[in-house]
Amino acid sequence: MVKAIVGANWGDEGKGKVTDMLAQQSDVVIRFQGGANAGHTIINDYGRFALHTLPSGVFYPHVTNVIGNGVALDIAKLADELEQIEAQGVPEPRLIVSDRAQLLMPYHILQDTYEEARLGGRAFGSTKSGIAPFYSDKYAKTGIQVCDLFDEPRLRERLVAAVELKNVLFEHLYHQPKVSADEIMDQLLALRERIRPWVGDTVSFVHRALKEGKTILLEGQLGSMKDPDLGIFPMTTSSHTLAGYGCVGASVPPTAVADVICVTKAYSSCVGSNTEPFVSEVTGEAGDELRRRGGDHGEFGATTGRPRRVGWFDAVATKYGCMVQGATQVALTCLDVLGYLDEIPVCTGYEIDGTVTDSFPTTPALLRARPVFTTLPGWRCDVRGCRDYDALPANAKAYVDFLEAHIGAPITMVSTGPKREEITYRTPKL
Ligand code: GDP
């Protein structure tokens, strides 16, 4: 049976922690989309980790970790990450890298960087990891698959064709130096050796695991708002962030996905550029305080270190985010962060052109939306580390009940701290 852990919002909802918890009871953990452009924070007995490419099951010797065909694979980053966890004392993980995954190339990173510079004030706030050019090339069919690394004449032919196109852009649009196919070929052959032991047929592996009744966890990156089809296009990422895409990017049959665990934070955070619509944003001193108190070390991007924009819980976006994920249950993280507040606003509607709605709109209307808040009483105490839902203060439980009623999906887990065991289990009221 397959479970998916995905984000309901803009990413950074705390999926890493929830995946880390559930990985313990799983046989296989699969990354199915995205690349090294976002990170999961995991805190366990080995230390604190920001994983970008490796699945969150790498800390468990019984888990087979899979980098699925849907991932944008930056081999150099993967190899570095493996070395880094080893240096922190983690035993060598079980890992399979799909032979159908495509390679994120050095020219993707250059193109991403040059394009952001060209756009100037209109830039998307890309992490410059090459993700948009990577997926563009995949769908333009000029991408290179992991399996191509093991067929040198084919690799060279595909590389020369891709480089020819890139150099037209680099020379004439960006006025930057051309790249050399020969140099990239040498780099790829060296990198190939670093991943050779891990490469395999993950499609057969996954289907075999399902036949054997294994539990498979799909680990999503970012969240619903960042999906290029159903999110806040074009301020989205370039791969699908929805559990449904796991059927493609991890090659699991749609009928096998039995559980979709949507992760959302007890407040909002968003790491994109300032031009991104973020309706429930809190700015000024109140925002600074929430940012400072948020997450485990304040709200700063795990990959970029950028300060995240923060806001009150957005029930409109989260209801939609859970709906498009097909959430069967919701994990609410970071409840402990809000313990300092007398009152807590929750965004329960958007006012757009004088009309209040709780339906999440398309981007042009979203950009005009103003938040409508309902204010709830705070609980004014520290619940960090609490493991018993019933022991939480009445106002904290009332806050969770209120969110559940507004997002329309059952909240089954409420997280009270960054560590794996800092979690409470709740009987949903829906
Ligand atoms: P992901 O990309 O969805 O895995 O999210 P990140 O790991 O980037 O961001 C979540 C942040 O919140 C990290 O700093 C976590 O360590 C932290 N975190 C997760 N759950 C909790 C929680 O319940 N309470 C607190 N205080 N921090 C949490």
PDB file of all heavy atoms in Angstrom, residues 1-5 22 25-26 215-219 256-261 329:
ATOM      1  N   MET A   1       0.825  -1.200   0.000  1.00  0.00           N
ATOM      2  CA  MET A   1       0.000   0.000   0.000  1.00  0.00           C
ATOM      3  C   MET A   1       0.862   1.253   0.000  1.00  0.00           C
ATOM      4  O   MET A   1       1.965   1.256   0.519  1.00  0.00           O
ATOM      5  CB  MET A   1      -0.982  -0.077   1.182  1.00  0.00           C
ATOM      6  CG  MET A   1      -0.553   0.525   2.460  1.00  0.00           C
ATOM      7  SD  MET A   1      -1.340   2.122   2.627  1.00  0.00           S
ATOM      8  CE  MET A   1      -1.771   2.092   4.332  1.00  0.00           C
ATOM      9  N   VAL A   2       0.337   2.266  -0.636  1.00  0.00           N
ATOM     10  CA  VAL A   2       1.123   3.484  -0.807  1.00  0.00           C
ATOM     11  C   VAL A   2       0.505   4.623   0.000  1.00  0.00           C
ATOM     12  O   VAL A   2      -0.706   4.835  -0.036  1.00  0.00           O
ATOM     13  CB  VAL A   2       1.172   3.884  -2.304  1.00  0.00           C
ATOM     14  CG1 VAL A   2       1.983   5.153  -2.492  1.00  0.00           C
ATOM     15  CG2 VAL A   2       1.742   2.760  -3.147  1.00  0.00           C
ATOM     16  N   LYS A   3       1.371   5.327   0.726  1.00  0.00           N
ATOM     17  CA  LYS A   3       0.962   6.543   1.424  1.00  0.00           C
ATOM     18  C   LYS A   3       1.760   7.686   0.810  1.00  0.00           C
ATOM     19  O   LYS A   3       2.934   7.498   0.487  1.00  0.00           O
ATOM     20  CB  LYS A   3       1.355   6.490   2.904  1.00  0.00           C
ATOM     21  CG  LYS A   3       0.676   5.422   3.706  1.00  0.00           C
ATOM     22  CD  LYS A   3       1.161   5.544   5.144  1.00  0.00           C
ATOM     23  CE  LYS A   3       0.619   4.360   5.936  1.00  0.00           C
ATOM     24  NZ  LYS A   3       0.762   4.527   7.362  1.00  0.00           N
ATOM     25  N   ALA A   4       1.129   8.844   0.713  1.00  0.00           N
ATOM     26  CA  ALA A   4       1.876  10.003   0.223  1.00  0.00           C
ATOM     27  C   ALA A   4       1.905  11.054   1.320  1.00  0.00           C
ATOM     28  O   ALA A   4       0.909  11.253   2.019  1.00  0.00           O
ATOM     29  CB  ALA A   4       1.204  10.565  -1.023  1.00  0.00           C
ATOM     30  N   ILE A   5       3.046  11.702   1.469  1.00  0.00           N
ATOM     31  CA  ILE A   5       3.140  12.846   2.388  1.00  0.00           C
ATOM     32  C   ILE A   5       3.445  14.064   1.547  1.00  0.00           C
ATOM     33  O   ILE A   5       4.483  14.125   0.879  1.00  0.00           O
ATOM     34  CB  ILE A   5       4.229  12.627   3.455  1.00  0.00           C
ATOM     35  CG1 ILE A   5       3.865  11.401   4.277  1.00  0.00           C
ATOM     36  CG2 ILE A   5       4.365  13.866   4.336  1.00  0.00           C
ATOM     37  CD1 ILE A   5       4.819  11.099   5.383  1.00  0.00           C
ATOM     38  N   LEU A  22       7.061   8.617   9.841  1.00  0.00           N
ATOM     39  CA  LEU A  22       6.341   7.519   9.190  1.00  0.00           C
ATOM     40  C   LEU A  22       7.279   6.561   8.460  1.00  0.00           C
ATOM     41  O   LEU A  22       6.922   5.413   8.203  1.00  0.00           O
ATOM     42  CB  LEU A  22       5.277   8.059   8.235  1.00  0.00           C
ATOM     43  CG  LEU A  22       4.144   8.822   8.926  1.00  0.00           C
ATOM     44  CD1 LEU A  22       3.057   9.175   7.936  1.00  0.00           C
ATOM     45  CD2 LEU A  22       3.519   8.008  10.057  1.00  0.00           C
ATOM     46  N   GLN A  25       7.923   3.163   9.943  1.00  0.00           N
ATOM     47  CA  GLN A  25       6.980   2.044   9.734  1.00  0.00           C
ATOM     48  C   GLN A  25       6.851   1.686   8.250  1.00  0.00           C
ATOM     49  O   GLN A  25       5.892   1.029   7.865  1.00  0.00           O
ATOM     50  CB  GLN A  25       5.589   2.429  10.246  1.00  0.00           C
ATOM     51  CG  GLN A  25       5.549   2.890  11.691  1.00  0.00           C
ATOM     52  CD  GLN A  25       4.708   4.150  11.850  1.00  0.00           C
ATOM     53  OE1 GLN A  25       3.729   4.351  11.142  1.00  0.00           O
ATOM     54  NE2 GLN A  25       5.111   5.013  12.777  1.00  0.00           N
ATOM     55  N   SER A  26       7.799   2.137   7.420  1.00  0.00           N
ATOM     56  CA  SER A  26       7.675   1.874   5.983  1.00  0.00           C
ATOM     57  C   SER A  26       8.829   1.021   5.493  1.00  0.00           C
ATOM     58  O   SER A  26       9.871   0.930   6.130  1.00  0.00           O
ATOM     59  CB  SER A  26       7.689   3.184   5.199  1.00  0.00           C
ATOM     60  OG  SER A  26       6.695   4.020   5.692  1.00  0.00           O
ATOM     61  N   THR A 215       5.019  -1.519   2.414  1.00  0.00           N
ATOM     62  CA  THR A 215       4.479  -0.164   2.603  1.00  0.00           C
ATOM     63  C   THR A 215       5.419   0.842   1.958  1.00  0.00           C
ATOM     64  O   THR A 215       6.620   0.878   2.262  1.00  0.00           O
ATOM     65  CB  THR A 215       4.345   0.152   4.105  1.00  0.00           C
ATOM     66  OG1 THR A 215       3.473  -0.813   4.661  1.00  0.00           O
ATOM     67  CG2 THR A 215       3.764   1.539   4.330  1.00  0.00           C
ATOM     68  N   ILE A 216       4.855   1.631   1.082  1.00  0.00           N
ATOM     69  CA  ILE A 216       5.652   2.595   0.323  1.00  0.00           C
ATOM     70  C   ILE A 216       5.193   4.003   0.691  1.00  0.00           C
ATOM     71  O   ILE A 216       3.999   4.293   0.713  1.00  0.00           O
ATOM     72  CB  ILE A 216       5.461   2.371  -1.189  1.00  0.00           C
ATOM     73  CG1 ILE A 216       6.016   0.990  -1.579  1.00  0.00           C
ATOM     74  CG2 ILE A 216       6.113   3.479  -2.001  1.00  0.00           C
ATOM     75  CD1 ILE A 216       5.891   0.658  -3.049  1.00  0.00           C
ATOM     76  N   LEU A 217       6.164   4.855   0.954  1.00  0.00           N
ATOM     77  CA  LEU A 217       5.861   6.233   1.310  1.00  0.00           C
ATOM     78  C   LEU A 217       6.344   7.143   0.179  1.00  0.00           C
ATOM     79  O   LEU A 217       7.514   7.079  -0.197  1.00  0.00           O
ATOM     80  CB  LEU A 217       6.646   6.553   2.578  1.00  0.00           C
ATOM     81  CG  LEU A 217       6.090   7.526   3.579  1.00  0.00           C
ATOM     82  CD1 LEU A 217       4.713   7.110   4.028  1.00  0.00           C
ATOM     83  CD2 LEU A 217       7.045   7.593   4.783  1.00  0.00           C
ATOM     84  N   LEU A 218       5.457   7.950  -0.345  1.00  0.00           N
ATOM     85  CA  LEU A 218       5.864   8.938  -1.349  1.00  0.00           C
ATOM     86  C   LEU A 218       6.142  10.242  -0.625  1.00  0.00           C
ATOM     87  O   LEU A 218       5.304  10.716   0.143  1.00  0.00           O
ATOM     88  CB  LEU A 218       4.746   9.173  -2.366  1.00  0.00           C
ATOM     89  CG  LEU A 218       4.248   7.974  -3.155  1.00  0.00           C
ATOM     90  CD1 LEU A 218       3.166   8.419  -4.137  1.00  0.00           C
ATOM     91  CD2 LEU A 218       5.395   7.312  -3.904  1.00  0.00           C
ATOM     92  N   GLU A 219       7.291  10.802  -0.882  1.00  0.00           N
ATOM     93  CA  GLU A 219       7.689  12.014  -0.170  1.00  0.00           C
ATOM     94  C   GLU A 219       7.648  13.207  -1.108  1.00  0.00           C
ATOM     95  O   GLU A 219       8.477  13.317  -2.009  1.00  0.00           O
ATOM     96  CB  GLU A 219       9.107  11.813   0.370  1.00  0.00           C
ATOM     97  CG  GLU A 219       9.669  13.045   0.994  1.00  0.00           C
ATOM     98  CD  GLU A 219      10.999  12.793   1.675  1.00  0.00           C
ATOM     99  OE1 GLU A 219      11.739  11.889   1.281  1.00  0.00           O
ATOM    100  OE2 GLU A 219      11.294  13.549   2.610  1.00  0.00           O
ATOM    101  N   ALA A 256      -3.240   2.241  -6.067  1.00  0.00           N
ATOM    102  CA  ALA A 256      -2.487   1.768  -4.900  1.00  0.00           C
ATOM    103  C   ALA A 256      -2.351   2.840  -3.823  1.00  0.00           C
ATOM    104  O   ALA A 256      -1.988   2.547  -2.685  1.00  0.00           O
ATOM    105  CB  ALA A 256      -1.098   1.302  -5.340  1.00  0.00           C
ATOM    106  N   VAL A 257      -2.630   4.093  -4.177  1.00  0.00           N
ATOM    107  CA  VAL A 257      -2.434   5.174  -3.201  1.00  0.00           C
ATOM    108  C   VAL A 257      -3.632   5.203  -2.249  1.00  0.00           C
ATOM    109  O   VAL A 257      -4.728   5.598  -2.614  1.00  0.00           O
ATOM    110  CB  VAL A 257      -2.261   6.544  -3.901  1.00  0.00           C
ATOM    111  CG1 VAL A 257      -1.968   7.638  -2.878  1.00  0.00           C
ATOM    112  CG2 VAL A 257      -1.145   6.484  -4.936  1.00  0.00           C
ATOM    113  N   ALA A 258      -3.412   4.732  -1.025  1.00  0.00           N
ATOM    114  CA  ALA A 258      -4.523   4.559  -0.089  1.00  0.00           C
ATOM    115  C   ALA A 258      -4.637   5.715   0.897  1.00  0.00           C
ATOM    116  O   ALA A 258      -5.681   5.914   1.503  1.00  0.00           O
ATOM    117  CB  ALA A 258      -4.337   3.252   0.667  1.00  0.00           C
ATOM    118  N   ASP A 259      -3.566   6.451   1.073  1.00  0.00           N
ATOM    119  CA  ASP A 259      -3.545   7.436   2.141  1.00  0.00           C
ATOM    120  C   ASP A 259      -2.755   8.658   1.670  1.00  0.00           C
ATOM    121  O   ASP A 259      -1.614   8.507   1.214  1.00  0.00           O
ATOM    122  CB  ASP A 259      -2.833   6.773   3.343  1.00  0.00           C
ATOM    123  CG  ASP A 259      -3.204   7.395   4.669  1.00  0.00           C
ATOM    124  OD1 ASP A 259      -4.001   8.335   4.679  1.00  0.00           O
ATOM    125  OD2 ASP A 259      -2.669   6.917   5.698  1.00  0.00           O
ATOM    126  N   VAL A 260      -3.368   9.822   1.755  1.00  0.00           N
ATOM    127  CA  VAL A 260      -2.655  11.050   1.391  1.00  0.00           C
ATOM    128  C   VAL A 260      -2.607  11.953   2.627  1.00  0.00           C
ATOM    129  O   VAL A 260      -3.629  12.485   3.062  1.00  0.00           O
ATOM    130  CB  VAL A 260      -3.343  11.780   0.210  1.00  0.00           C
ATOM    131  CG1 VAL A 260      -2.607  13.081  -0.115  1.00  0.00           C
ATOM    132  CG2 VAL A 260      -3.403  10.881  -1.026  1.00  0.00           C
ATOM    133  N   ILE A 261      -1.423  12.050   3.194  1.00  0.00           N
ATOM    134  CA  ILE A 261      -1.264  12.842   4.414  1.00  0.00           C
ATOM    135  C   ILE A 261      -0.783  14.231   4.010  1.00  0.00           C
ATOM    136  O   ILE A 261       0.319  14.402   3.485  1.00  0.00           O
ATOM    137  CB  ILE A 261      -0.248  12.166   5.362  1.00  0.00           C
ATOM    138  CG1 ILE A 261      -0.750  10.764   5.710  1.00  0.00           C
ATOM    139  CG2 ILE A 261      -0.024  13.015   6.613  1.00  0.00           C
ATOM    140  CD1 ILE A 261       0.332   9.807   6.095  1.00  0.00           C
ATOM    141  N   GLN A 329      -5.937  12.612   5.407  1.00  0.00           N
ATOM    142  CA  GLN A 329      -5.699  13.115   6.753  1.00  0.00           C
ATOM    143  C   GLN A 329      -4.721  14.287   6.697  1.00  0.00           C
ATOM    144  O   GLN A 329      -3.999  14.453   5.716  1.00  0.00           O
ATOM    145  CB  GLN A 329      -5.196  12.028   7.698  1.00  0.00           C
ATOM    146  CG  GLN A 329      -4.167  11.090   7.137  1.00  0.00           C
ATOM    147  CD  GLN A 329      -3.655  10.125   8.198  1.00  0.00           C
ATOM    148  OE1 GLN A 329      -3.591  10.429   9.378  1.00  0.00           O
ATOM    149  NE2 GLN A 329      -3.246   8.937   7.771  1.00  0.00           N
TER     150      GLN A 329
END
